[in-house]
Amino acid sequence: MARTPAAAAPNTSSEKTSSASTTTIIHKNLPPESANIVVEFFSDTATPDTSLNYNCNDFYSHLICDVLKADLVQHGRISCTVTVQPSVTNDYNGLHGGAIASIAERLAIACARTVVALDKQLFLGELSMSYLSVAAQNEVLAVDGSVVRSGRNLTVVAIEFRIKKTQKPVYLARATLYHMPASKL
C-alpha cells in the first residue's frame, strides 16, 4: 500500500483526540488517479480559511472537513477518522445529528467515486440514518464506508460510525446515490 502526503491540519488538542495525520494509506489495487481525487476531495477544505465569508451557503463544508480525515482509500471502501470538536456538537455536547448526516453524505459520495466513472454525475437520492448512541465531545470516531451495490444507474453505500477506542457502534447510515447519464451532445 502506497502512502500519499495529505494536508496536515493544525493540532490544537492532545494527541489522544486529534485526527490530524500526515499520510493516507491507499490500497495498491486502486488506480492512483482515483485515490488522488478522493484524497483531494477530503483535503480541499480541511482547514477553514479565516478570510472567507462565514455567512455563505457552503459554510458547513468548512466545519465538516475540519473534523474529517481520510485514513484508508480502497476500491469501494474508505476509512476515516472523525474528531468530535465543539464546532459540531449539540447542546448536550454530543455530535450533532446534522453533522453526522453531512459526514455520511460526504463519505458516501467519495466512496462511490472510487467505483463510478468520473464522467457520471452523482446525486444523493436517499440517506437513511440510525442513531444508536452518542459520541461525546472530544471523542474520536472511526468511520467506514463501503459500496454495497453499484450498477449502471445507482450505487448504494453503507457507512458505520464507531468509537475508535472501544469499537462500539454509534451511528449507521445507508446512502443511495443515483448516476446521471453522460450527455451525448
Side-chain angles (χ1 to χ4, degrees):
M1 293 188 195
R3 291 187 180 260
T4 301
N11 187 1
T12 58
S13 59
S14 68
E15 277 299 312
K16 184 170 128 181
T17 61
S18 174
S19 63
S21 176
T22 57
T23 59
T24 298
I25 301 169
I26 300 171
H27 194 269
K28 63 183 175 191
N29 294 338
L30 186 68
E33 57 275 358
S34 295
N36 288 336
I37 288 169
V38 171
V39 170
E40 287 175 17
F41 184 75
F42 282 116
S43 65
D44 277 346
T45 56
T47 52
D49 183 358
T50 55
S51 66
L52 294 175
N53 175 8
Y54 288 108
N55 294 322
C56 67
N57 292 338
D58 201 26
F59 174 63
Y60 85 94
S61 292
H62 296 288
L63 290 173
I64 299 305
C65 288
D66 193 33
V67 299
L68 184 65
K69 166 68 180 86
D71 294 326
L72 177 67
V73 178
Q74 294 177 328
H75 183 77
R77 183 172 181 267
I78 297 177
S79 294
C80 298
T81 304
V82 173
T83 304
V84 183
Q85 295 177 357
S87 60
V88 291
T89 58
N90 56 24
D91 291 339
Y92 305 102
N93 287 328
L95 186 57
H96 191 280
I100 298 163
S102 294
I103 292 167
E105 178 189 9
R106 194 162 197 70
L107 187 60
I109 293 170
C111 204
R113 275 286 158 219
T114 65
V115 296
V116 175
L118 294 176
D119 64 336
K120 290 189 177 181
Q121 291 183 8
L122 299 173
F123 69 93
L124 183 66
E126 178 184 358
L127 181 63
S128 168
M129 301 292 303
S130 296
Y131 300 91
L132 308 175
S133 186
V134 104
Q137 186 174 321
N138 296 325
E139 193 74 62
V140 178
L141 303 176
V143 185
D144 293 316
S146 60
V147 173
V148 176
R149 177 197 184 282
S150 186
R152 187 174 54 136
N153 296 320
L154 64 88
T155 300
V156 179
V157 180
I159 301 112
E160 188 174 87
F161 293 74
R162 292 181 174 271
I163 294 177
K164 198 168 192 171
K165 209 182 302 180
T166 63
Q167 291 301 305
K168 174 185 172 187
V170 285
Y171 313 112
L172 301 174
R174 182 173 288 247
T176 303
L177 297 148
Y178 293 96
H179 307 174
M180 293 289 291
S183 176
K184 296 182 181 179
L185 295 176

